[in-house]
Amino acid sequence: MKRWKLLTQISVIFTIVTVMISLVFVLIFEFGFQRIYSKEIIYELTIYSQDVVNKFKENQHFRTDDYIGITIHKWKQDPDTGEYKIDVNPYYSTPIVDDFFRNVDLKDYIQELVLEENNETFETQRKIGNKTYNVRGVKHNPETENGFYVLAFTDDRYVKAQNEEFTQTLRFTTLALIVLGNISLLLWSRLVVGRINYLEEEVSLLVKTNYERPIDTSGRDEISSLAKSVEKMRLEILEHEQTKREIMQNISHDFKTPISVIKTYGEAIKDGITDASEIDVIIKQADTLNHKVVQLLQLNKINYLTNDQVPEEIFVKEIIKNIINKNKYKFDKEFVTDLDNSTYLATPDSLEIAIGNIIDNAMRYAKTKIVIVLKNKKLTIYNDGEQINEDFIEKIFKPYEKGHKGEFGLGMSIAQQTLAFFNLSISVKNVRKGVMFVIEPI
């Protein structure tokens, strides 16, 4: 099916379903038709035979039926005994009787009923050969001069005629449904396929790095939902491309200053303008460059985190203790900790970098202390420094967004992206007399 066009697939399925429904309907009709029309035949025989009786006794003409045979027999008086006896030879018969009586067994059976049936009104059924016959008899003033005996009978030709008519109608209806249905599907599919082709063209433009043109997302159906997803992807790609451009601009700016300083001081030392004691300035700028390179490598490393790096259950308090030990001589304020044995599913190095960046940020702003609490997998890192501007909170985790004491604007982005990879969320909020970061499983 995948090798066929969408319109062909839908047309084939529609045709198959239509034909199957028609076949099922025919089967149901075949089983139910016999029972329904058996009652209908008896009803027709009753109505028709009674009409014949009423018309014949009034010497009126009665209609003939294409499916029901009529024979009318009269009583004759025996001149010797004076008794009235039924005449086995019909006084009158409708034209179709000749066709019925080609079956000699049926003719004999009718004559038998004429001679032997005693009831004035009766209905009977007899299978003769491969056909089933329904017979109704009505006697009027039996054994009198004006008496007559009407026999109405028919076989399954009425049923077959009705069945054939129904089958013909069903065939025409099925054919009409298939033709009209496929025409409707053709018109509908042109619209659908046109919209799909439009999306295909738009996606091909995305492949060619053309992200500027918005995608039409009007409508409420599944294709519109797909279009909205593609448009969302386009906006995200556009945002990522903008971020890349900003990062490149910021990297160029951040690298340019220390490189210029290193070059200037190096040339000054070389030309004898200054002495070797100024080498400390070069070392400091080199350390600044190295720190920026390390953070760029960390940011780039996030894009290559894969499932090949198998995460493990890590005791978070051990990670925090390692970070505090590395910074206890650089931080002249107080670390306050309250840590339980909660674990995160992550890799040790990545988790230490992410949490380390949050603590490093807190160290730059804290006035007297940093409070770190870990309870039931919820990690909070509080510092009693000044609160964050509400406008900046919205973009604190965006690359190269720096607070007034920030260094490079990458630490928070690295932390957020790394934690997200391990299904951990991070948020920040201003609290009474400080700022709090919250990390917890998604």
Side-chain angles (χ1 to χ4, degrees):
M1 291 289 283
K2 291 182 179 179
R3 292 176 294 179
W4 296 352
K5 291 185 176 181
L6 179 62
L7 171 61
T8 306
Q9 294 182 42
I10 295 174
S11 296
V12 169
I13 292 172
F14 175 79
T15 302
I16 291 174
V17 170
T18 304
V19 171
M20 288 180 64
I21 291 174
S22 300
L23 290 175
V24 170
F25 196 69
V26 167
L27 291 175
I28 294 173
F29 179 78
E30 286 290 342
F31 284 108
F33 187 82
Q34 296 290 341
R35 184 174 57 190
I36 294 172
Y37 277 99
S38 293
K39 295 180 179 179
E40 179 71 15
I41 288 171
I42 295 172
Y43 175 76
E44 288 293 328
L45 283 175
T46 303
I47 297 299
Y48 186 46
S49 60
Q50 193 60 51
D51 181 63
V52 171
V53 170
N54 293 336
K55 294 290 178 65
F56 189 76
K57 70 181 180 182
E58 299 293 336
N59 292 320
Q60 295 178 3
H61 178 74
F62 58 86
R63 63 181 175 85
T64 58
D65 193 281
D66 293 335
Y67 304 107
I68 301 175
I70 293 288
T71 59
I72 301 176
H73 303 263
K74 299 197 71 173
W75 274 271
K76 290 184 178 181
Q77 190 175 29
D78 188 330
D80 296 329
T81 62
E83 295 180 357
Y84 284 91
K85 295 181 179 180
I86 193 73
D87 188 356
V88 72
N89 296 312
Y91 174 79
Y92 174 81
S93 61
T94 54
I96 200 172
V97 170
D98 292 338
D99 186 49
F100 275 115
F101 282 175
R102 290 177 183 175
N103 186 336
V104 178
D105 292 335
L106 173 63
K107 183 176 181 180
D108 293 341
Y109 177 60
I110 295 297
Q111 290 179 348
E112 179 185 328
L113 290 175
V114 171
L115 294 173
E116 299 181 4
E117 180 60 47
N118 295 320
N119 295 319
E120 291 192 7
T121 302
F122 68 91
E123 292 170 358
T124 185
Q125 188 179 78
R126 171 74 67 89
K127 186 169 184 179
I128 301 174
N130 60 353
K131 291 187 177 182
T132 300
Y133 293 88
N134 289 277
V135 184
R136 186 173 193 271
V138 181
K139 295 179 180 179
H140 177 72
N141 295 331
E143 300 182 2
T144 64
E145 182 179 358
N146 296 322
F148 59 90
Y149 188 1
V150 175
L151 283 167
F153 50 90
T154 188
D155 56 9
D156 56 0
R157 64 184 64 191
Y158 176 68
V159 175
K160 287 182 176 179
Q162 295 297 320
N163 194 6
E164 184 177 349
E165 182 180 346
F166 172 79
T167 303
Q168 287 290 103
T169 303
L170 184 62
R171 286 174 185 166
F172 175 78
T173 303
T174 302
L175 182 61
L177 279 174
I178 292 173
V179 172
L180 294 175
N182 279 284
I183 291 173
S184 300
L185 285 173
L186 176 62
L187 297 175
W188 171 78
S189 65
R190 283 185 177 177
L191 296 174
V192 173
V193 172
R195 294 170 65 192
I196 294 175
N197 289 337
Y198 165 75
L199 283 179
E200 183 181 8
E201 292 173 2
E202 293 298 325
V203 171
S204 67
L205 288 177
L206 295 181
V207 174
K208 297 175 182 177
T209 66
N210 184 356
Y211 312 121
E212 301 298 330
R213 190 167 75 178
I215 295 172
D216 181 13
T217 60
S218 60
R220 300 176 62 183
D221 58 7
E222 288 77 3
I223 297 178
S224 298
S225 298
L226 177 60
K228 290 174 183 176
S229 298
V230 175
E231 173 66 3
K232 182 180 178 182
M233 179 182 69
R234 183 191 71 83
L235 293 174
E236 289 177 354
I237 293 174
L238 189 62
E239 182 179 354
H240 289 161
E241 288 297 309
Q242 180 64 28
T243 301
K244 282 183 183 179
R245 286 192 290 268
E246 291 177 359
I247 288 175
M248 292 303 298
Q249 292 172 357
N250 286 309
I251 288 174
S252 301
H253 180 270
D254 285 346
F255 277 32
K256 182 178 180 181
T257 300
I259 289 174
S260 297
V261 172
I262 291 172
K263 182 180 179 181
T264 300
Y265 273 82
E267 290 175 346
I269 294 172
K270 178 182 177 182
D271 295 338
I273 299 173
T274 185
D275 56 33
S277 62
E278 299 292 344
I279 198 72
D280 290 339
V281 175
I282 296 176
I283 293 173
K284 183 177 180 181
Q285 292 300 318
D287 288 339
T288 300
L289 270 178
N290 180 65
H291 191 62
K292 289 183 179 181
V293 169
V294 169
Q295 285 210 323
L296 283 172
L297 290 173
Q298 290 175 351
L299 183 64
N300 186 61
K301 183 180 178 182
I302 294 170
N303 297 324
Y304 296 95
L305 288 173
T306 66
N307 293 329
D308 295 335
Q309 297 174 293
V310 180
E312 57 185 275
E313 291 289 345
I314 300 171
F315 285 101
V316 182
K317 70 177 181 180
E318 299 300 328
I319 299 293
I320 294 172
K321 287 179 180 178
N322 289 339
I323 296 170
I324 292 175
N325 287 334
K326 291 177 182 179
N327 291 284
K328 63 183 179 180
Y329 297 114
K330 296 193 296 182
F331 184 57
D332 58 355
K333 312 295 189 302
E334 181 183 8
F335 278 111
V336 180
T337 59
D338 180 10
L339 309 174
D340 67 8
N341 290 319
S342 295
T343 61
Y344 287 160
L345 190 65
T347 57
D349 292 344
S350 298
L351 187 62
E352 184 169 338
I353 289 172
I355 296 176
N357 286 346
I358 304 301
I359 294 176
D360 183 65
N361 177 273
M363 288 167 55
R364 286 197 298 274
Y365 292 95
K367 292 179 181 179
T368 62
K369 62 182 177 179
I370 294 174
V371 180
I372 303 174
V373 178
L374 177 64
K375 294 291 183 184
N376 298 323
K377 294 185 178 292
K378 182 177 182 180
L379 174 62
T380 60
I381 301 172
Y382 163 82
N383 74 79
D384 61 351
E386 60 185 277
Q387 294 188 337
I388 303 173
N389 185 287
E390 291 296 333
D391 293 335
F392 185 68
I393 284 182
E394 298 296 325
K395 51 186 178 180
I396 191 171
F397 297 112
K398 186 178 178 181
Y400 277 98
E401 292 292 339
K402 294 187 288 187
H404 70 279
K405 292 184 180 180
E407 293 184 338
F408 312 120
L410 293 176
M412 293 294 97
S413 177
I414 291 170
Q416 188 269 336
Q417 293 184 53
T418 302
L419 293 172
F421 181 83
F422 296 113
N423 294 317
L424 297 167
S425 68
I426 180 171
S427 59
V428 60
K429 58 184 176 180
N430 290 319
V431 294
R432 189 169 177 268
K433 295 183 179 180
V435 174
M436 180 179 290
F437 288 85
V438 180
I439 300 172
E440 56 189 334
I442 297 175

